[in-house]
Amino acid sequence: MAAPLAPRGGAGVAGRCWLVLLPPLLLVLLLARSAGALVEGLYCGTRDCYEVLGVSRTAGKAEIARAYRQLARRYHPDRYRPEPGDEGPGRTPQSAEEAFLLVATAYETLKDEETRKDYDYMLDHPEEYYSHYYHYYSRRLAPKVDVRVVILVSVCAISVFQFFSWWNSYDKAISYLATVPKYRIQAMEIAKQQGLLRKAKEKGRNKKSKEEIRDEEENIIKNIIKSKIDIKGGYQKPQICDLLLFQILLAPFHLCSYIVWYCRWIYNFNIKGKEYGEEERLYIIRKSMKMSKSQFDSLEDHQKETFLKRELWIKENYEVYKQEQEEELKKKLANDPRWKRYRRWMKNEGPGRLTFVDD
């Protein structure tokens, strides 16, 4: 009966041996795990950045910077002089340059808090191999300037260009209207009634030349035209709210306004069956003509009244109007001598026809 007890005692001794050997094995595994985290091509390669600078993982920024300055002065290629018995990594000018680059890489890695966190995480979690590559290259290849700042500066630059471009177009339109007899005569009559031209001549009688008086009178006429004529379309007076920057800022408001307007349109005209007002009728006509709001606003008032009289918001009436416009355009082209020459050229010598004409 005593024989079976021997194996049980041997098993107990073997178990105790495993318990004794378990801590060293775990330590070896942990050391191997930390060493396996150092990958060639990431950070300091197979060297530990903390060991390169000679600091611990708990070192602060000041200690890391101080260690970097000391090693940088020591291994700088232009200042390096090997000392007797020097067994460091920079025993030759070439190795000194490599050591200097390694020290600089270690400092760049540890001086930034975010990069240092990624590096410490790599040391503690070497098994996440692809994740370390992603974090390393995402930070390294990321733009140095915030993309949001670049977008904001670009939008502001475009807005400034838009404003000055539109203002230049507006000035050109005013200068052109000042040469049109119809508007120039009306502006001069208003200026005479207000006494602006007489004041300009009295002020410049002794102090200004005739050219300066003429320029001042021209400016008075242009200012009257600006105040009396509302230019619409592409040459209208620039508004701050039309710039790209403000359009982007007001985009949520415009979107909500459009949704509310569209819901009201469906409710009032599709569900309740109300009749269209003048604004709604003009909107339907503009959509049928495929014109933008600025283009439609640039039309004369009598043209819009003609659209309303002919009830062009009704699809059938608009189709008739469109056909009439096409027929009228064909008649004009048929009577146009330039169009006749073009058709004659297309018939005799146009594309697809090989001729030998001696000019």
Side-chain angles (χ1 to χ4, degrees):
M1 296 296 292
L5 296 175
R8 185 179 299 176
V13 173
R16 286 194 295 271
C17 292
W18 279 108
L19 291 175
V20 173
L21 295 175
L22 184 59
L25 289 174
L26 291 175
L27 180 60
V28 171
L29 290 174
L30 289 175
L31 291 176
R33 182 181 182 183
S34 178
L38 303 176
V39 182
E40 188 68 37
L42 296 183
Y43 304 105
C44 298
T46 56
R47 296 286 304 277
D48 192 332
C49 292
Y50 292 101
E51 293 180 358
V52 171
L53 296 178
V55 297
S56 63
R57 288 186 62 172
T58 58
K61 287 185 176 181
E63 184 179 354
I64 292 174
R66 184 167 55 253
Y68 166 71
R69 287 194 296 269
Q70 292 175 357
L71 294 173
R73 284 195 298 267
R74 180 180 179 185
Y75 294 117
H76 197 282
D78 297 335
R79 302 178 58 184
Y80 177 72
R81 295 294 181 272
E83 300 177 358
D86 188 4
E87 298 180 355
R91 288 174 291 179
T92 63
Q94 183 178 2
S95 59
E97 183 178 357
E98 295 175 357
F100 178 77
L101 294 177
L102 183 61
V103 169
T105 302
Y107 177 66
E108 291 293 330
T109 301
L110 300 180
K111 74 174 184 177
D112 184 69
E113 293 184 0
E114 298 297 329
T115 307
R116 185 176 179 179
K117 286 181 181 179
D118 292 341
Y119 184 71
D120 291 341
Y121 187 82
M122 186 187 75
L123 295 178
D124 297 332
H125 302 83
E127 70 279 358
E128 300 181 13
Y129 183 79
Y130 296 104
S131 176
H132 302 323
Y133 265 95
Y134 169 75
H135 288 293
Y136 175 76
Y137 284 104
S138 62
R139 292 193 183 279
R140 189 167 184 176
L141 300 177
K144 302 300 180 182
V145 182
D146 193 348
V147 178
R148 293 170 294 183
V149 176
V150 176
I151 294 175
L152 179 61
V153 172
S154 302
V155 170
C156 292
I158 294 173
S159 301
V160 172
F161 176 77
Q162 278 183 326
F163 182 79
F164 284 105
S165 177
W166 290 347
W167 192 266
N168 185 36
S169 300
Y170 177 70
D171 285 339
K172 287 182 179 179
I174 295 298
S175 300
Y176 171 75
L177 292 176
T179 61
V180 177
K182 173 183 176 182
Y183 301 111
R184 187 176 183 85
I185 293 173
Q186 293 180 2
M188 291 184 67
E189 290 294 332
I190 295 174
K192 289 178 181 179
Q193 292 176 3
Q194 297 179 356
L196 298 176
L197 297 178
R198 185 174 63 254
K199 291 180 181 179
K201 291 180 179 180
E202 290 176 356
K203 289 181 180 179
R205 183 172 298 173
N206 299 322
K207 297 181 180 179
K208 298 181 181 180
S209 62
K210 292 183 179 180
E211 294 182 357
E212 292 176 342
I213 295 174
R214 193 181 304 111
D215 292 339
E216 188 173 349
E217 291 177 354
E218 193 71 20
N219 291 330
I220 291 173
I221 293 174
K222 289 182 180 179
N223 291 330
I224 293 175
I225 293 176
K226 287 181 182 179
S227 61
K228 298 298 182 180
I229 297 180
D230 183 19
I231 302 176
K232 297 180 180 181
Y235 294 93
Q236 64 183 2
K237 188 175 182 179
Q239 302 292 333
I240 298 295
C241 58
D242 293 333
L243 299 179
L244 177 63
L245 177 61
F246 291 91
Q247 288 294 316
I248 293 175
L249 295 177
L250 297 175
F253 171 75
H254 290 316
L255 180 60
C256 295
S257 300
Y258 176 77
I259 293 174
V260 172
W261 173 86
Y262 186 76
C263 293
R264 287 180 177 176
W265 182 284
I266 296 297
Y267 177 74
N268 290 328
F269 304 114
N270 292 3
I271 298 177
K272 297 186 69 175
K274 289 184 178 180
E275 293 186 1
Y276 296 126
E278 181 177 340
E279 183 178 354
E280 289 78 14
R281 292 171 180 175
L282 291 176
Y283 173 78
I284 296 174
I285 295 171
R286 178 170 68 85
K287 287 298 182 182
S288 300
M289 293 182 174
K290 298 180 180 179
M291 300 175 64
S292 64
K293 191 175 185 305
S294 60
Q295 291 175 331
F296 194 78
D297 292 339
S298 62
L299 297 177
E300 298 291 340
D301 293 336
H302 66 87
Q303 291 179 292
K304 298 178 182 178
E305 292 177 359
T306 302
F307 297 158
L308 295 174
K309 288 180 180 179
R310 298 195 58 174
E311 299 182 352
L312 297 185
W313 66 88
I314 301 175
K315 186 176 180 180
E316 292 76 10
N317 295 343
Y318 176 74
E319 292 296 334
V320 174
Y321 172 81
K322 183 179 179 180
Q323 188 174 1
E324 291 177 358
Q325 293 296 314
E326 291 176 353
E327 293 295 333
E328 185 177 353
L329 179 62
K330 290 180 181 179
K331 291 180 181 179
K332 288 182 179 179
L333 293 177
N335 298 325
D336 190 355
R338 291 177 298 178
W339 177 247
K340 290 181 180 179
R341 288 196 299 269
Y342 174 74
R343 286 188 302 172
R344 188 162 51 248
W345 177 82
M346 288 292 293
K347 180 179 179 181
N348 298 328
E349 304 175 15
R353 184 179 178 86
L354 183 63
T355 58
F356 298 90
V357 179
D358 295 331
D359 294 333

